[in-house]
Each structure stands twice: as C-alpha cells, then as structure tokens.
Amino acid sequence: MPWLVAGEHVVASLEIADTRRARRRGLIGRDGIEGALLIDPARSVHTFGMRFAIDVAHLDADHTVLSIVTMAPGRLGRPRWRAHSVLEAEAGSFQHWEIECGMQLEVRE
C-alpha cells in the first residue's frame, strides 16, 4: 500500500485513483476513509453523492500543495488550472497532519 509522506514523516496511508473509473467514483458512497485518496490526473472535484465533508488539496506535477479547501457534501469545486492531481481526506485531516500550502508531498510504496 502506498503512503503519503511530508518531509521525512509518513502522514497517512494512501489510495490512488489513476483509472477513469476510479477517478469518477472517488469517495462517493463511502462512509469515510482511513488515510487519503490521490486522484491523478484531476484539476477539480465535486462532493455530490458523498456522505461526509472532505479536505481537498490541489497538487502540481511535483506534488506541491497549491491550495486547500474543505468541501461539504453536495458541492462543486472550482478547478485549479495549475493542478495536476487532487488529494482528498476526511475534513480536518490536513490540519491534523499539518499539511499546508507550499508543502511538497511524496508518494512512497
């Protein structure tokens, strides 16, 4: 299972949605997620059909955090044109993990 790493610290387990079907489904229909979901490629997300609020981080091609927003269920997110992928986790997770704009993240196996 891949891991999300910030600096030298493992912050969360990671699921990767890198197929069309997985990207389209995302976290829809789930009651929660342990860890985070990386949607690659993606510039925006929505929360229609979701059962819980999420933190969303837009990442550039080097996995540097461009922006962070919290989205309630039933919302349409604004696209970030420089974004290459999107990281999703349960609302409050990014604050707990101390993920901030400008931080570079890494995916490790």
Side-chain angles (χ1 to χ4, degrees):
M1 169 175 280
W3 299 95
L4 181 65
V5 178
E8 290 301 317
H9 302 285
V10 174
V11 294
S13 60
L14 187 66
E15 296 177 37
I16 300 175
D18 56 1
T19 66
R20 175 178 272 168
R21 183 174 190 213
R23 287 190 308 267
R24 200 171 39 242
R25 179 157 173 88
L27 297 174
I28 294 171
R30 296 190 192 189
D31 292 322
I33 181 173
E34 286 201 25
L37 175 69
L38 179 68
I39 303 174
D40 185 27
R43 288 193 170 122
S44 67
V45 295
H46 67 82
T47 57
F48 298 115
M50 296 197 53
R51 299 178 182 157
F52 57 97
I54 59 171
D55 284 342
V56 176
H58 296 88
L59 311 176
D60 69 9
D62 296 323
H63 292 150
T64 300
V65 179
L66 300 172
S67 66
I68 295 175
V69 296
T70 299
M71 294 178 62
R75 303 286 190 248
L76 179 62
R78 295 176 55 197
R80 301 296 192 266
W81 299 114
R82 290 182 35 224
H84 185 268
S85 56
V86 173
L87 184 68
E88 297 179 343
E90 287 193 29
S93 296
F94 292 169
Q95 183 177 7
H96 177 74
W97 299 334
E98 299 178 352
I99 293 177
E100 301 173 339
C101 290
M103 180 179 278
Q104 186 160 9
L105 304 175
E106 185 179 344
V107 176
R108 289 192 189 163
E109 291 295 324

